Amino acid sequence: MSLQDAISKLAKDAVEKFVKPGQVIGLGSGSTAAVIVREMASLGFKDSLACIPTSLQIKAEAEKSGLRFADEGRIPDIDVVFDGADQIDASYYMIKGGGGALLREKILISSAKTVVIAADSSKFVKSFSRSVPIEVHPLARVSVAKKLSSVGGKPVLRTLDKGYPFITENGNVILDTTFASIADVPRMEVELKSIAGVMEVGLFTRRADAYYRAQADGTFEIVKP
C-alpha cells in the first residue's frame, strides 16, 4: 500500500459522500484534485453535473473525463468545491498557491456551500513553515515587494526553470514570500490583501467542512475542525 493508494481511496469516498446529481462542482488544482475528477467520471449521473475548474490543468483533466462545464455566472451556485493545500496548520488555516491558481481557488472556496480539502499527511503542520504565494499585478511588482519587505517579508519572484517569470493564467506574477512567523493568520491575510497591486494572497482562512488526510500506509482519515 502507498500514499497513492490512500489518495485513490479518499477520492472515491469524497465523491460518494459529497457529489449529488444536478450539483455545481468547483474543481481545485493539483494532483489530488485530478484523482477526484477521474473518480467523478465514473458516476452514472455525471452528465447532470456542472463543473467550474480553477486551472487549465484541471480543465483538461475534466475534459478527458467527459465532465460538463459551467461558466463563471454559476460560481455563486457552487454546491461543493474539492481542492488540495500546500500546508494546513493546527488551526486549519491553509497556504495555497504552489501551482499558481490561488486567485481562482479562493474565489471558488469563498463562494462554495461546502469545501472539501484533500492532502497527504505531510501537509498537516503545527505552524506554517513555507513561503506564502502572493499574486501581484506586474505593474506593482517592485512596489509590492518593497512593502512586503517593510512588514517583515522576504519576497522572491517566482520563475520558471530558464529564469523567465512565472505568469499566472490571470496574467499576473507571484511573489513567494517568507515570513519568520505569522502570529495572526486572518489579520495577515487582510493586511497583505490591502497592499495596492496585490490581487490575492495564498493564506486561506475559511475552514473546510472536511479535511481528508492521506497516509503513507495507504489509509486515510477525515478530519473535521
Side-chain angles (χ1 to χ4, degrees):
M1 303 296 279
S2 67
L3 181 61
Q4 194 56 47
D5 293 316
I7 292 172
S8 297
K9 290 176 184 176
L10 74 80
K12 183 177 181 63
D13 188 83
V15 169
E16 286 180 352
K17 278 188 170 70
F18 293 99
V19 180
K20 309 299 179 188
Q23 286 183 327
V24 179
I25 308 292
L27 303 175
S29 302
S31 58
T32 302
V35 176
I36 290 173
V37 166
R38 290 194 289 272
E39 186 63 37
M40 288 171 59
S42 64
L43 294 172
F45 56 83
K46 73 175 183 179
D47 288 343
S48 74
L49 304 174
C51 299
I52 302 177
T54 55
S55 66
L56 182 59
Q57 170 244 354
I58 211 69
K59 183 176 183 180
E61 192 67 49
E63 285 173 341
K64 287 192 293 183
S65 298
L67 298 177
R68 294 173 56 248
F69 297 103
D71 64 28
E72 64 274 8
R74 299 296 306 280
I75 288 176
D77 304 323
I78 292 175
D79 293 290
V80 57
V81 60
F82 296 102
D83 209 342
D86 296 312
Q87 281 193 336
I88 303 165
D89 75 2
S91 297
Y92 294 100
Y93 298 135
M94 298 184 289
I95 289 180
K96 291 174 53 56
L102 64 156
L103 173 56
R104 298 185 182 201
E105 289 169 347
K106 189 168 283 190
I107 290 171
L108 266 59
I109 284 177
S110 67
S111 300
K113 299 178 181 71
T114 300
V115 177
V116 178
I117 299 296
D120 69 72
S121 58
S122 68
K123 304 294 179 64
F124 290 80
V125 297
K126 183 176 180 180
S127 58
F128 294 141
S129 58
R130 57 150 292 156
S131 59
V132 178
I134 300 176
E135 186 164 346
V136 177
H137 191 284
L139 180 66
R141 174 179 59 84
V142 175
S143 61
V144 169
K146 286 185 177 180
K147 289 186 178 180
L148 290 172
S149 297
S150 73
V151 297
K154 295 182 179 179
V156 175
L157 179 67
R158 186 180 296 185
T159 58
L160 302 172
D161 290 341
K162 294 186 178 181
Y164 294 102
F166 175 91
I167 304 297
T168 72
E169 292 184 29
N170 312 301
N172 301 313
V173 298
I174 289 184
L175 296 177
D176 289 306
T177 306
T178 302
F179 296 92
S181 65
I182 303 176
D184 187 332
V185 177
R187 182 177 178 178
M188 178 66 85
E189 180 186 24
V190 173
E191 182 178 353
L192 297 178
K193 187 74 180 288
S194 70
I195 298 173
V198 170
M199 309 308 291
E200 195 48 82
V201 178
L203 295 172
F204 282 60
T205 53
R206 174 179 174 177
R207 291 179 176 89
D209 297 276
Y211 297 85
Y212 279 79
R213 178 158 50 194
Q215 309 282 8
D217 64 0
T219 63
F220 71 87
E221 61 179 332
I222 305 173
V223 181
K224 292 187 178 182

